[in-house]
C-alpha cells in the first residue's frame, strides 16, 4: 500500500471528525476546515491508488516478460530423447 493512501485515509478521517464537531458546535469555520481536510485526504488516497495500480501493472508486465522469456528458452533448447 502506498504511503499516500495511508496519509489520505488519516487526513480524511481527521477531516470528518473536525467537520462533525463543527456541525455539533455550530462552528462553521471548523466545518469548512474539516471539509477541506477531507478533500485533501481523498486526493492523497486517490493518488496512492493510482501509484499502486501503476506499480501493479509494471509488476505484471515484468512477470509476463519473464514468462515469455522462459517459454522462448524452452523452445530454443533441443529436446533430448530418452532411450
Amino acid at each position: 500500500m502506498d504511503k499516500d493512501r495511508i496519509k489520505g485515509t488519516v487526513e480524511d478521517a481527521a477531516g470528518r471528525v473536525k467537520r462533525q464537531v463543527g456541525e455539533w458546535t455550530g462552528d462553521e469555520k471548523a466545518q469548512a476546515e474539516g471539509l477541506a481536510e477531507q478533500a485533501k485526504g481523498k486526493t492523497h488516497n486517490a493518488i496512492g491508488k493510482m501509484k499502486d495500480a501503476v506499480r501493479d501493472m509494471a509488476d505484471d508486465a515484468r512477470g509476463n516478460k519473464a514468462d515469455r522469456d522462459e517459454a522462448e528458452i524452452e523452445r530454443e533448447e533441443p529436446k533430448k530423447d530418452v532411450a
Side-chain angles (χ1 to χ4, degrees):
M1 180 180 278
D2 189 80
K3 64 182 178 183
D4 284 318
R5 288 183 72 180
I6 296 167
K7 183 177 180 180
T9 301
V10 170
E11 286 177 340
D12 182 31
R16 286 174 190 262
V17 169
K18 193 173 202 175
R19 182 181 50 83
Q20 191 63 49
V21 169
E23 287 179 14
W24 289 335
T25 60
D27 185 350
E28 291 181 7
K29 182 180 177 188
Q31 289 179 37
E33 288 174 355
L35 193 57
E37 199 168 327
Q38 274 185 273
K40 184 177 175 184
K42 289 177 189 278
T43 301
H44 274 127
N45 197 345
I47 290 169
K49 284 181 182 179
M50 287 190 313
K51 286 181 179 179
D52 284 343
V54 168
R55 193 175 300 117
D56 289 346
M57 287 175 24
D59 288 346
D60 288 347
R62 273 189 237 111
N64 290 339
K65 183 180 183 316
D67 291 343
R68 285 192 308 269
D69 291 346
E70 191 174 303
E72 283 181 29
I73 291 170
E74 289 176 5
R75 283 189 299 245
E76 290 174 2
E77 292 178 2
K79 301 274 185 199
K80 295 181 181 178
D81 290 330
V82 178

